Amino acid sequence: MFKYVKSKLMREPSPFFYYIITISSHTPYDYVNVYGEEFKGDDQYSDVSPLKFRNYLKSLSYVDEVLEDFVSFVRFVNKNTYIFIFGDHGNEYSPARDAAPLFIITPDNKVHTEDKKIASVLDLSQTILRASNISFEIKSKGFNLLNSPIQENKVESKKDKISFRENR
């Protein structure tokens, strides 16, 4: 799926909006056997049991790897891009089952995270519309997450790889 989106982005005029859904790391974690030979994370969890937990870890490693590649690609093709990465729910292995991760990567390569309050999908519309500089009127209980006092992490590209470094 990411390969398909990459091919589309190469020809996409600006501005553009893509909403991409992947179930690669979704329960029951049975998809790990079809990731392909290019995925290198298979062996590091071979001694983990039970099998479902092993597959969960493998699926997260796979998603990390493809997202890292995709973010690097987007940054190369169009530096003036906001990237929102979020889940739709937690999981059985997460300490906060009802919470889902949300990462916002801005054109200045900052990764915005919030761990003091709960953001919602209502906030995404406000945040995306304000970031796009599109004139709009919307009735929503959502907030622009980029205006919140937040912890910022810097994203740095290194030889087609992304590393996250906390700025404190």
Side-chain angles (χ1 to χ4, degrees):
M1 191 261 313
F2 284 106
K3 288 178 186 176
Y4 171 77
V5 174
K6 282 180 175 181
S7 71
K8 299 290 281 182
L9 284 175
M10 292 296 290
R11 296 170 295 202
E12 193 71 56
S14 292
F16 59 85
F17 176 85
Y18 274 83
Y19 179 76
I20 304 166
I21 299 174
T22 176
I23 60 169
S24 299
S25 62
H26 203 279
T27 188
Y29 316 114
D30 291 338
Y31 304 105
V32 296
N33 297 322
V34 296
Y35 290 154
E37 291 184 22
E38 66 271 4
F39 176 57
K40 300 164 189 63
D42 264 358
D43 295 337
Q44 68 186 24
Y45 302 111
S46 58
D47 60 341
V48 173
S49 58
L51 178 61
K52 185 175 181 182
F53 185 60
R54 178 184 326 141
N55 286 345
Y56 165 72
L57 294 174
K58 287 165 64 173
S59 71
L60 290 182
S61 291
Y62 174 75
V63 170
D64 283 350
E65 195 170 299
V66 295
L67 281 176
E68 178 182 47
D69 177 66
F70 185 73
V71 169
S72 294
F73 175 81
V74 170
R75 284 287 173 244
F76 178 76
V77 172
N78 190 338
K79 292 178 182 13
N80 189 29
T81 301
Y82 286 82
I83 301 170
F84 294 77
I85 301 170
F86 58 94
D88 60 341
H89 56 79
N91 64 60
E92 63 195 286
Y93 302 114
S94 171
R97 284 187 178 188
D98 295 330
L102 167 64
F103 301 93
I104 302 171
I105 305 172
T106 59
D108 60 0
N109 281 332
K110 290 184 178 172
V111 177
H112 296 264
T113 60
E114 172 61 68
D115 58 4
K116 304 287 188 263
K117 63 183 176 184
I118 296 175
S120 116
V121 292
L122 297 174
D123 301 322
L124 290 178
S125 61
Q126 288 281 339
T127 306
I128 292 169
L129 287 168
R130 296 233 187 265
S132 69
N133 291 322
I134 295 173
S135 175
F136 70 94
E137 288 185 34
I138 186 173
K139 287 186 179 190
S140 172
K141 297 204 183 260
F143 298 97
N144 179 0
L145 296 171
L146 296 175
N147 283 344
S148 300
I150 53 178
Q151 171 186 344
E152 294 182 357
N153 297 311
K154 189 74 173 171
V155 177
E156 297 177 352
S157 288
K158 292 183 180 174
K159 291 187 178 181
D160 301 322
K161 295 291 181 183
I162 299 291
S163 64
F164 294 90
R165 177 175 51 92
E166 285 192 18
N167 286 339
R168 299 229 175 195

